[in-house]
Amino acid sequence: MKFFRVLLLLILISPPLQMFSDAQHEAGFCSMYDECGRNPTVSGSLLNSNVPCKSPGPAREVVGAHYELLKEVCPMLDQGEGQTFACCSLQQLISLQSSVSLSKAILLRCPSCAYNFAHLHCINTCSPNQSQTINVTRTIPVNISGTEKEAVVSYQAYVSTTFSDTSFNSCKNVRIPATGGYAIGTMCGRYGSTLCTPQRWLDFQGDSSNGLAPLDIDFRLIPPQHNAAVPEGMVPYAGIALSCNETTPTGGEQCSCQDCQESCPPVPPPGPLPEPFMIGNMDGVLVISIILFAILCLLFLIFLVVKCILHLCKRKKSKSGKDKNANEVHLNQTVNPKDITCTDRASLVTQKYLGSFFQSWGIVMARHPLKVIFASLLVVAAFTTGVMNMQLTTDPVQLWSAPNSRARREKDFHDENFAPFFRTNQLILTAPGRPSYIYDSLLFGTTNFSGLISKDLILQLLELQQRIQAIEFWSDELNKTATLKDVCYAPLNPDNPSLTDCAVNSLPQYFQNSVKNLNLKANMTQLGVTKEVDWRDHFIYCVNSPLSFKDITALNLSCMADYGGPVFPFLAVGGYDNEDYTAGEAFILTFSLNNYPRDDPKFKVVEQWEEMFLQIVQEYQKDPSTNFTFAYMAERSLEDEINRTTIEDFPIFMISYAVIFLYIAVALGEYSSFKRILVDSKFLVGLGGILVVTGSVLASMGFYAWVGIPSSLIIVQVVPFLVLAVGADNIFIFVLEYQRDVRQPGEKSEEQIGRVLGSVAPSMLLCSVSESVCFFLGALSNMPAVKSFALYAALAVLMDFVLQMTAFVALLSLDARRQDGNRCEIVCCLKVKTQRPAKPNKGFLLPFMEKYYAPVLLHPVSRKVVIVLFLFMFCASIYLMFNVKVGLDQELAMPTDSYMLKYFEYLNKYFEVGVPTYFVTTKGFNFSDVTGINAVCSSVGCDQFSLTQKIQYATEYPERSYLAIPASSWVDDFIDWLNPGSRCCRTYTSGSNMGQFCPASESTLMCLKKCMTLPSSGILRPSVEEFNRFLPNFLTNRPDLQCPKGGLGAYDTAVVWDNLTGEISASRFMAYHTPLKNSQEFTAALLMVRELAHNITMAMRMIPGTAEDFEVFPYSVTYVYYEQYISIVNEGVANLCLCLLPTFVVCCILLGLDLRSGFLNLFTIVMITVDTVGVMTLWSIDYNAVSLINLVTAVGISVEFVSHTTRSFALSTLPTKVERAKEATAKMGSAVFAGVAMTNLPGIIVLAFAKAQLIQIFFFRLNLVITLLGMAHGLIFLPVLLSFFGPPVNKAVLLELQKAKEMEYSDTAHYDNASFENNEIPVSPGCHSQNETVSQKPEKVIVQALDEGSKKIITATSF
């Protein structure tokens, strides 16, 4: 007993320092009590930094108001009134409540986390056994109301790891809905959420330099059974911490799945990706293609064997035994009229009618050339005047997205309700070659910095940023000098922004764009080591904790941007790995501007600002003193660059047309004699043909301009090419046929032109009608660009044919008169004496085709080789067709010298986050109802498969969903904002605003009433009245340190709310995609989010009261461009089928229901199309809308390559199929080669020199492929195919020949190798193409035909 008296005496008389060292550590005793004013060692604190007084002694009983507040703030210490003791005063509880409420604001989503957080700090501050867990390590003498006391500024807190780990785990997954990030990231300082641990989490809470903690707390985490390091008498606190999936003693429910993985229901992972189609170990399509090739070859072999057997049988039955071919037909045999089929008769009647009609038509046109040309000019001029009203569509959205398409409707809904997505103007800057360096930070240890992140470059970046921010220009629309603040996106002050309110994201924003802040330095002591801290320490802290209002360095700087929002590190730096931001290789500088509709006057203002932005950036790039290598873009850049390249490449197109014109003018000439070059040349005829094409294109454009269908750059570039190919072919057929024809005795030039026109016009009609109908059907496409192209092309082809039948016939008539008069071209007054030779000039191509090409091609061996080779190409192309890439990367839309290409390169290389996507809700859902709230939110008490929770599930599989960050949720933040545990939502209890909403910045004394009280269940849900009353306050509440949940900036534009009815007609929830780098990924991402949104929609429609048409849909600025690739394959197949159908039908009709010719014609065109797609795969030409337009064009051009030869073969009367094929190849092959292939190729080759990659790839490459494949199939495959499978000789024609022979008493006629078209002048002499040539001497044939009910003898010239 004596010992204890001495000990008590020593305690009472010892000085304060001794009292400090001899403090008791036992149950029921305190180490601190009451407050001793502000901490004098802390400067720049963001909150009240009152610290406790050192006051060892027994715990005090708490009663009355003190007890009630303790029960509210620290319910875990409540032992019942009269039985509860604590080591904190009432004032300490008030300060603790204020401090904890700040963190609770972001932790309340998870009640057990908020409970554990409060539990920890309640134990340190108020535990009745405080002395057992707290060891005071530093005090400072202070004078409080004349009394000397010791203020505690530092202490050690001993905590068991079982408690700390469980508490940490309950909080580590709690989300911040506004950002999609983790709340723990804001509470772990420099480590962020990724590197945060229980020790680092608690260290940050006990660090007074963070601006939030009032004093330093050294948390000592002690594992169980490891008490050796614990001072004698102390016991690490090992109270019960709740797991996140447990309810709290106060009635709080378990945390939601989004905040607690342990609460998640078993969600099956997504199923495996569809396996590629395989047969065995080989690609399934490849195996099928090989099998198909084998089957086709086998069928062909069987065909050859059967044919050989039949041939032998026929030879044995032959009376003469002199048959040379199984298909030989004896001309001297009599054709029985009963043997003639309906098809033969229909073919004959069709050809007679067409030939007679066009002959009469041609004669009339040729007799009145000037009148016809004048009338044609009037018609063309009348149509062309509409061009003045033509609307040229350059907006990619209007070009590639149909107005009624889903993406377009969703975009319109979004823009109408939320305004268009803001405009982005961005720079990505690098400094290659600068060496990295190591920075030894007092706080963060050794850190690697890239050479880019240096003070001098940051200052240069800030200088460039401020130069751009200072842009000024006079605006007529605003009638004042416009600046950035007039057009910028200012999320926290949208109504009246200043320059500093504009959202500019960059690294200097971590220093509030202040050079002074960048230059700040300060000495700081950490663990007994004193070192200087500077901008690097602040930068390291901010990129790991961007939501902090104050760093933990002695600089005491905020991390928030000057406009009040956070700058997330992925928006400030790029090119780093694993969140190692200090090693970033790129600065990112982004100016966000408001996006106005095109008819808004401010749209021009914002475009002017962007123009000035581009000028400054381009000048800066040229400055030799700059240390940056960078890429840049403005929102207007894409459209600007496309328009620029269109203008720059216009001369290329003009040169291309000039080359084609020069070729036509030269190739149409006869050149029989050097002296007659100026007479026999066809320069003016060629020019006339070009003018006909030009007139048809202008007439088509003018007509649709009158109708109101807008044009596009693709139409301007492609349609003239297409019509020129078709028109030149017809011109060559007509002119060459006329040149090779011999005028009959007594026949006038007009009659000769009419007769020639009667022979070739049906072929021209066949091709033109096929192409025109093809394009008109192609206009059924839903894609605006394809639809308008098809309409313009269809009418242009039709007009071209009409003008050829009128103006060009008249022009040829004038030229024939000039040539007959031996007058020179251009200088018509000059004549030459050399007369025109009587024998027509065959030229070079026709004899070559007759003597060499056709015999070699149709040799028995080469015929078989050709069939097998082309079947192989066809089957190989089927395989390749399934491997063609679908899409159009935006880089390809840029010219090769565009600055945008470098920007796209930098974007893919340095950007670490994808585009934002919104999940938009439409009208018809009750958000104010408790059931409705639970179906949307993701915090405690919400449905486990709510809207936001399903999006969260999707982000767990980013490689499948393409979603990286969960959706921000205004509903969740609104609930947290209403929670009385935070000070966000209060009402005035005094003054003129009594009862109205009181912001968190107001004094607590004026706003004592909370908006809501927390129910016993812990699940806070507003009533309908409370929802409608406080939602507007939430949406307009600016977030700050006191209330980080304010909705202004994050949600004020995310909710469309009717303040009269209280109905929410639209809202949106923003998530982020993973980085998407090509069209295929963008398209796949769209499909996945649509599937997710549909799933959400179906679930929410099940909620009572939800409208049947309610919908949730995803929206991003990119979807409207990439939606086309979802259906473009099916749509392309449908369009091509619609184009192919008329080629078959028209061919059959115009050939008199000749189904076999129509089918062979169709089969060859299909082969050309399939082979074209196959070569697209080999030549890296992606399949997209531009490709589809060219493929539709390919069908049209293929008709020119194929139909003329098919018709010539079908109407030929030569004995065998091989001979008929030779004749068709020689005549039509030469014309097709000269008129189609050689017309297209020179112009196409010129396009290779265009700057635009789009033109190089989709016009040069693709058109070259189309032309070469069309030429190969039309001049090689088709003649061979016809020689095997072509239709038999038309017996109706043979009967006509037979009747004509019986009339030899009137005139002599020879039938040697006579073709049908040579025998019947009113009948088209085959599909006479440009290359139809004279294979024999002209011989007269008499054919009897009916004309207007009377018999006439019509004389024809046969070739």
Side-chain angles (χ1 to χ4, degrees):
M1 180 65 79
K2 184 178 181 181
F3 170 76
F4 287 108
R5 289 175 180 168
V6 172
L7 179 62
L8 180 61
L9 181 63
L10 288 173
I11 291 173
L12 292 174
I13 65 175
S14 60
L17 185 60
Q18 291 297 318
M19 187 176 179
F20 170 75
S21 60
D22 297 334
Q24 295 177 346
H25 297 293
E26 59 180 289
F29 276 79
C30 305
S31 294
M32 307 173 294
Y33 192 83
D34 210 357
E35 290 187 346
C36 279
R38 293 182 177 273
N39 188 342
T41 66
V42 174
S43 61
S45 178
L46 299 172
L47 300 174
N48 187 347
S49 60
N50 288 347
V51 293
C53 301
K54 182 181 177 186
S55 180
R60 278 77 160 175
E61 182 182 358
V62 291
V63 295
H66 191 180
Y67 169 72
E68 293 298 326
L69 186 60
L70 177 74
K71 189 166 62 171
E72 178 185 345
V73 178
C74 300
M76 68 290 300
L77 299 180
D78 179 22
Q79 301 297 321
E81 192 166 6
Q83 302 294 323
T84 302
F85 293 83
C87 291
C88 58
S89 65
L90 178 63
Q91 187 58 44
Q92 277 183 286
L93 270 176
I94 294 173
S95 297
L96 178 62
Q97 181 185 39
S98 176
S99 177
V100 170
S101 67
L102 293 178
S103 298
K104 273 191 172 183
I106 58 175
L107 298 178
L108 279 172
R109 291 172 48 84
C110 180
S112 56
C113 167
Y115 184 89
N116 290 335
F117 183 83
H119 190 166
L120 174 66
H121 291 285
C122 284
I123 291 300
N124 289 344
T125 306
C126 295
S127 171
N129 303 315
Q130 187 184 63
S131 65
Q132 287 188 305
T133 60
I134 294 300
N135 183 32
V136 176
T137 57
R138 186 184 176 203
T139 61
I140 293 179
V142 294
N143 187 293
I144 304 297
S145 302
T147 304
E148 295 293 329
K149 293 186 178 183
E150 291 184 85
V152 178
V153 295
S154 177
Y155 65 81
Q156 295 171 335
Y158 288 85
V159 182
S160 171
T161 54
T162 56
F163 181 85
S164 63
D165 290 357
T166 304
S167 298
F168 174 78
N169 290 333
S170 70
C171 294
K172 68 179 182 180
N173 291 317
V174 177
R175 296 274 186 176
I176 300 178
T179 66
Y182 292 102
I184 205 77
T186 67
M187 305 173 69
C188 213
R190 62 185 183 270
Y191 298 106
S193 60
T194 305
L195 301 177
C196 197
T197 63
Q199 183 68 63
R200 291 169 176 173
W201 181 50
L202 296 176
D203 285 347
F204 178 81
Q205 296 177 44
D207 188 349
S208 62
S209 64
N210 63 22
L212 301 173
L215 75 167
D216 290 320
I217 307 174
D218 179 12
F219 284 96
R220 302 293 179 93
L221 305 186
I222 309 299
Q225 312 303 324
H226 289 76
N227 293 333
V230 179
E232 184 179 355
M234 300 197 69
V235 179
Y237 183 72
I240 298 175
L242 303 175
S243 297
C244 60
N245 61 341
E246 292 184 275
T247 59
T248 67
T250 56
E253 295 290 327
Q254 66 178 12
C255 306
S256 70
C257 173
Q258 191 172 79
D259 301 318
C260 174
Q261 292 183 354
E262 291 82 355
S263 297
C264 293
V267 179
L273 289 170
E275 294 291 333
F277 176 47
M278 304 289 287
I279 298 178
N281 295 325
M282 295 182 62
D283 186 290
V285 178
L286 177 60
V287 173
I288 291 175
S289 300
I290 294 173
I291 293 173
L292 178 62
F293 175 66
I295 291 173
L296 291 176
C297 288
L298 180 61
L299 292 175
F300 181 59
L301 180 61
I302 293 172
F303 168 78
L304 293 177
V305 172
V306 172
K307 181 181 178 183
C308 182
I309 294 172
L310 293 176
H311 174 66
L312 293 176
C313 293
K314 285 187 178 182
R315 286 193 63 180
K316 292 179 180 179
K317 294 179 181 180
S318 175
K319 295 181 180 180
S320 62
K322 296 180 181 180
D323 300 75
K324 296 180 180 180
N325 191 297
N327 298 318
E328 183 177 358
V329 179
H330 294 280
L331 290 177
N332 59 357
Q333 69 182 23
T334 302
V335 178
N336 189 340
K338 295 181 180 180
D339 295 335
I340 300 175
T341 64
C342 293
T343 301
D344 290 341
R345 289 195 183 95
S347 177
L348 178 62
V349 170
T350 302
Q351 303 311 316
K352 277 186 177 182
Y353 174 76
L354 290 176
S356 177
F357 171 78
F358 281 112
Q359 179 178 359
S360 302
W361 176 271
I363 292 174
V364 173
M365 296 297 106
R367 283 177 178 170
H368 309 282
L370 296 178
K371 295 178 182 179
V372 171
I373 291 174
F374 181 73
S376 299
L377 286 174
L378 284 180
V379 172
V380 170
F383 280 110
T384 304
T385 52
V387 174
M388 293 184 294
N389 301 318
M390 185 173 70
Q391 298 177 358
L392 194 65
T393 302
T394 57
D395 185 356
V397 174
Q398 296 179 16
L399 277 175
W400 306 116
S401 181
N404 60 346
S405 69
R406 177 178 172 180
R408 187 75 173 274
R409 285 186 283 107
E410 291 171 350
K411 179 184 184 301
D412 292 342
F413 180 90
H414 177 274
D415 292 352
E416 179 182 344
N417 287 280
F418 306 108
F421 194 78
F422 57 78
R423 301 172 71 91
T424 299
N425 298 267
Q426 194 170 71
L427 293 94
I428 304 175
L429 306 97
T430 64
R434 289 178 67 105
S436 61
Y437 63 96
I438 301 296
Y439 174 61
D440 188 11
S441 170
L442 172 68
L443 296 170
F444 310 109
T446 301
T447 306
N448 179 54
F449 273 73
S450 69
L452 173 78
I453 303 179
S454 60
K455 186 176 179 181
D456 61 320
L457 291 184
I458 296 174
L459 288 171
Q460 289 184 37
L461 176 64
L462 177 58
E463 180 186 356
L464 174 61
Q465 175 184 318
Q466 291 174 338
R467 183 177 169 188
I468 294 171
Q469 286 178 298
I471 288 176
E472 291 183 353
F473 58 91
W474 176 259
S475 169
D476 292 331
E477 287 74 21
L478 301 179
N479 196 29
K480 67 172 187 176
T481 299
T483 63
L484 177 61
K485 68 183 181 66
D486 294 308
V487 293
C488 74
Y489 172 64
L492 297 179
N493 189 13
D495 297 326
N496 186 28
S498 64
L499 199 59
T500 55
D501 289 323
C502 296
V504 179
N505 287 298
S506 65
L507 190 149
Q509 285 282 27
Y510 289 129
F511 304 89
Q512 296 75 51
N513 299 326
S514 168
V515 176
K516 178 184 176 182
N517 289 349
L518 262 168
N519 289 327
L520 278 179
K521 295 180 181 180
N523 289 324
M524 186 174 180
T525 302
Q526 180 86 355
L527 300 177
V529 179
T530 301
K531 291 183 71 173
E532 186 179 73
V533 293
D534 61 14
W535 66 271
R536 287 168 291 196
D537 299 273
H538 179 69
F539 172 73
I540 297 172
Y541 178 82
C542 288
V543 291
N544 289 287
S545 188
L547 295 173
S548 297
F549 287 89
K550 183 177 180 294
D551 65 13
I552 62 174
T553 74
L555 302 176
N556 296 326
L557 294 176
S558 171
C559 294
M560 306 298 281
D562 64 353
Y563 67 88
V567 179
F568 296 104
F570 55 77
L571 295 177
V573 292
Y576 50 82
D577 294 321
N578 300 321
E579 299 187 2
D580 186 10
Y581 303 115
T582 59
E585 296 292 338
F587 290 143
I588 300 173
L589 173 58
T590 307
F591 295 85
S592 300
L593 309 182
N594 290 321
N595 203 351
Y596 305 97
R598 287 180 176 261
D599 56 355
D600 191 310
K602 277 201 169 184
F603 180 79
K604 292 184 178 180
V605 181
V606 77
E607 284 208 319
Q608 282 181 278
W609 189 94
E610 290 175 349
E611 184 179 357
M612 297 287 292
F613 165 81
L614 291 173
Q615 289 178 6
I616 290 175
V617 171
Q618 288 163 358
E619 290 173 3
Y620 186 78
Q621 191 175 43
K622 296 174 184 178
D623 187 350
S625 63
T626 181
N627 293 311
F628 290 118
T629 299
F630 61 90
Y632 58 93
M633 65 85 69
E635 187 74 20
R636 62 177 292 164
S637 293
L638 273 173
E639 195 169 328
D640 283 353
E641 288 297 277
I642 292 174
N643 293 338
R644 177 179 71 85
T645 188
T646 301
I647 295 172
E648 291 182 354
D649 285 335
F650 184 75
I652 297 293
F653 278 91
M654 292 299 99
I655 294 172
S656 177
Y657 292 137
V659 170
I660 294 173
F661 164 68
L662 184 62
Y663 165 75
I664 293 174
V666 173
L668 285 178
E670 292 182 83
Y671 312 115
S672 58
S673 169
F674 180 76
K675 295 180 179 179
R676 289 182 55 86
I677 285 180
L678 294 179
V679 176
D680 294 335
S681 66
K682 288 293 185 287
F683 182 84
L684 291 179
V685 172
L687 176 61
I690 299 293
L691 291 177
V692 164
V693 170
T694 304
S696 62
V697 172
L698 290 176
S700 175
M701 290 182 175
F703 172 79
Y704 286 116
W706 283 119
V707 174
I709 297 177
S711 182
S712 66
L713 294 174
I714 290 180
I715 291 173
V716 174
Q717 293 170 342
V718 180
V719 170
F721 235 93
L722 170 66
V723 179
L724 192 58
V726 176
D729 183 32
N730 289 341
I731 289 170
F732 268 86
I733 291 174
F734 187 18
V735 174
L736 292 182
E737 181 70 9
Y738 174 74
Q739 289 174 347
R740 294 163 184 171
D741 182 63
V742 177
R743 189 176 300 172
Q744 298 177 4
E747 188 178 39
K748 296 181 181 180
S749 63
E750 294 85 353
E751 294 172 345
Q752 181 188 14
I753 290 174
R755 178 168 51 79
V756 171
L757 185 66
S759 67
V760 300
S763 180
M764 298 163 64
L765 176 67
L766 167 63
C767 296
S768 298
V769 171
S770 297
E771 291 158 355
S772 187
V773 175
C774 162
F775 290 127
F776 274 123
L777 290 176
L780 296 175
S781 170
N782 292 322
M783 207 170 296
V786 178
K787 181 175 184 177
S788 59
F789 165 79
L791 286 173
Y792 274 79
L795 184 58
V797 170
L798 200 59
M799 285 295 300
D800 184 55
F801 175 74
V802 171
L803 290 176
Q804 285 172 347
M805 293 297 102
T806 54
F808 189 76
V809 172
L811 181 64
L812 186 62
S813 175
L814 290 175
D815 188 74
R817 295 178 187 180
R818 175 195 62 76
Q819 194 172 13
D820 289 345
N822 290 334
R823 292 193 297 273
C824 293
E825 201 167 31
I826 302 178
V827 188
C828 299
C829 56
L830 296 180
K831 290 186 177 183
V832 297
K833 296 180 180 180
T834 306
Q835 295 297 314
R836 184 178 184 181
K839 182 180 179 181
N841 182 13
K842 293 184 178 181
F844 165 76
L845 200 54
L846 178 60
F848 172 78
M849 288 276 191
E850 286 179 331
K851 295 179 181 179
Y852 304 104
Y853 179 75
V856 171
L857 175 66
L858 295 168
H859 187 276
V861 175
S862 58
R863 289 166 66 204
K864 299 175 180 62
V865 171
V866 165
I867 292 293
V868 173
L869 178 62
F870 275 79
L871 286 178
F872 173 78
M873 288 173 54
F874 178 63
C875 295
S877 295
I878 290 176
Y879 166 70
L880 292 171
M881 183 170 62
F882 281 89
N883 291 279
V884 68
K885 280 187 177 181
V886 177
L888 175 62
D889 294 330
Q890 51 190 348
E891 293 92 333
L892 298 180
M894 299 293 100
T896 52
D897 61 346
S898 173
Y899 62 85
M900 288 295 293
L901 294 178
K902 190 173 183 180
Y903 173 77
F904 291 135
E905 177 191 347
Y906 276 36
L907 188 69
N908 291 332
K909 184 177 180 180
Y910 296 115
F911 233 70
E912 303 296 333
V913 68
V915 294
T917 182
Y918 297 97
F919 288 84
V920 181
T921 65
T922 61
K923 187 177 181 180
F925 185 80
N926 188 1
F927 284 91
S928 61
D929 181 73
V930 172
T931 306
I933 292 175
N934 290 337
V936 175
C937 65
S938 58
S939 56
V940 60
C942 300
D943 295 344
Q944 290 185 325
F945 294 95
S946 66
L947 182 152
T948 49
Q949 191 57 60
K950 286 184 176 180
I951 299 173
Q952 158 68 20
Y953 294 146
T955 59
E956 295 176 4
Y957 302 93
E959 70 285 351
R960 295 288 298 275
S961 67
Y962 296 95
L963 290 174
I965 300 176
S968 59
S969 171
W970 62 268
V971 176
D972 285 274
D973 275 338
F974 180 44
I975 294 173
D976 294 344
W977 183 82
L978 288 170
N979 198 303
S982 73
R983 58 181 293 162
C984 290
C985 190
R986 305 173 300 166
T987 57
Y988 285 102
T989 53
S990 61
S992 59
N993 295 323
M994 181 181 296
Q996 296 182 16
F997 168 71
C998 172
S1001 56
E1002 284 284 8
S1003 170
T1004 304
L1005 297 176
M1006 297 182 63
C1007 310
L1008 297 175
K1009 185 178 179 181
K1010 301 286 187 177
C1011 295
M1012 295 185 64
T1013 57
L1014 190 67
S1016 59
S1017 65
I1019 301 176
L1020 182 73
R1021 295 293 183 268
S1023 65
V1024 174
E1025 181 184 356
E1026 290 168 331
F1027 185 96
N1028 294 331
R1029 177 186 176 188
F1030 294 116
L1031 180 62
N1033 301 128
F1034 164 70
L1035 296 176
T1036 56
N1037 185 205
R1038 180 170 180 145
D1040 55 24
L1041 182 63
Q1042 301 293 335
C1043 178
K1045 292 287 185 174
L1048 183 65
Y1051 302 121
D1052 58 309
T1053 59
V1055 182
V1056 180
W1057 183 74
D1058 190 332
N1059 57 359
L1060 296 177
T1061 64
E1063 183 179 21
I1064 294 177
S1065 58
S1067 70
R1068 64 183 184 182
F1069 302 81
M1070 185 177 72
Y1072 278 91
H1073 278 300
T1074 56
L1076 307 174
K1077 299 186 182 299
N1078 53 50
S1079 297
Q1080 292 74 37
E1081 291 185 358
F1082 276 103
T1083 306
L1086 172 58
L1087 285 171
M1088 292 307 299
V1089 293
R1090 278 190 173 178
E1091 181 181 347
L1092 175 60
H1094 175 72
N1095 183 286
I1096 295 171
T1097 299
M1098 292 298 101
M1100 294 181 73
R1101 285 181 182 176
M1102 300 290 290
I1103 297 173
T1106 303
E1108 292 182 359
D1109 59 347
F1110 169 77
E1111 185 180 7
V1112 178
F1113 64 84
Y1115 169 76
S1116 180
V1117 290
T1118 61
Y1119 294 164
V1120 74
Y1121 303 110
Y1122 292 101
E1123 183 195 39
Q1124 57 182 299
Y1125 303 124
I1126 295 175
S1127 60
I1128 195 170
V1129 173
N1130 295 333
E1131 184 168 337
V1133 171
N1135 282 336
L1136 291 174
C1137 289
L1138 286 175
C1139 287
L1140 291 168
L1141 180 64
T1143 65
F1144 173 75
V1145 174
V1146 173
C1147 184
C1148 290
I1149 292 175
L1150 294 184
L1151 290 178
L1153 302 180
D1154 187 348
L1155 296 179
R1156 190 185 300 188
S1157 294
F1159 175 76
L1160 295 177
N1161 203 56
L1162 175 64
F1163 178 67
T1164 307
I1165 296 174
V1166 169
M1167 287 186 68
I1168 294 173
T1169 307
V1170 171
D1171 289 354
T1172 299
V1173 179
V1175 176
M1176 284 171 57
T1177 305
L1178 294 177
W1179 210 354
S1180 301
I1181 304 173
D1182 294 348
Y1183 175 71
N1184 47 55
V1186 183
S1187 304
L1188 179 56
I1189 289 174
N1190 280 280
L1191 288 174
V1192 172
T1193 304
V1195 174
I1197 295 178
S1198 299
V1199 170
E1200 295 291 327
F1201 278 112
V1202 172
S1203 297
H1204 295 299
T1205 303
T1206 303
R1207 183 175 183 274
S1208 179
F1209 178 90
L1211 301 181
S1212 174
T1213 57
L1214 291 178
T1216 68
K1217 291 180 180 179
V1218 172
E1219 291 181 80
R1220 292 162 64 198
K1222 286 181 180 179
E1223 181 191 44
T1225 301
K1227 291 182 179 180
M1228 293 297 107
S1230 59
V1232 167
F1233 181 80
V1236 185
M1238 293 308 297
T1239 301
N1240 284 2
L1241 284 175
I1244 290 173
I1245 291 172
V1246 172
L1247 295 181
F1249 300 98
K1251 289 184 178 180
Q1253 296 183 86
L1254 205 66
I1255 294 175
Q1256 291 178 359
I1257 295 174
F1258 298 103
F1259 293 101
F1260 165 64
R1261 289 189 195 176
L1262 194 49
N1263 279 301
L1264 182 63
V1265 169
I1266 291 168
T1267 302
L1268 294 178
L1269 286 175
M1271 186 169 60
H1273 284 77
L1275 300 181
I1276 300 175
F1277 175 73
L1278 181 60
V1280 174
L1281 184 69
L1282 291 170
S1283 71
F1284 281 116
F1285 305 103
V1289 176
N1290 191 317
K1291 292 184 179 180
V1293 176
L1294 293 178
L1295 181 61
E1296 289 291 320
L1297 294 176
Q1298 181 177 299
K1299 290 179 180 179
K1301 188 174 181 181
E1302 293 173 357
M1303 298 175 62
E1304 285 183 350
Y1305 64 89
S1306 300
D1307 200 353
T1308 303
H1310 300 281
Y1311 290 84
D1312 187 29
N1313 289 331
S1315 64
F1316 171 81
E1317 58 268 30
N1318 302 328
N1319 303 329
E1320 182 67 45
I1321 291 309
V1323 179
S1324 164
C1327 219
H1328 289 297
S1329 136
Q1330 321 149 345
N1331 294 347
E1332 184 156 339
T1333 53
V1334 181
S1335 59
Q1336 303 175 23
K1337 292 182 179 180
E1339 298 179 304
K1340 295 181 180 179
V1341 178
I1342 308 301
V1343 179
Q1344 192 173 27
L1346 293 176
D1347 183 18
E1348 297 180 1
S1350 61
K1351 291 186 177 181
K1352 293 177 60 179
I1353 301 299
I1354 302 176
T1355 306
T1357 303
S1358 169
F1359 299 94

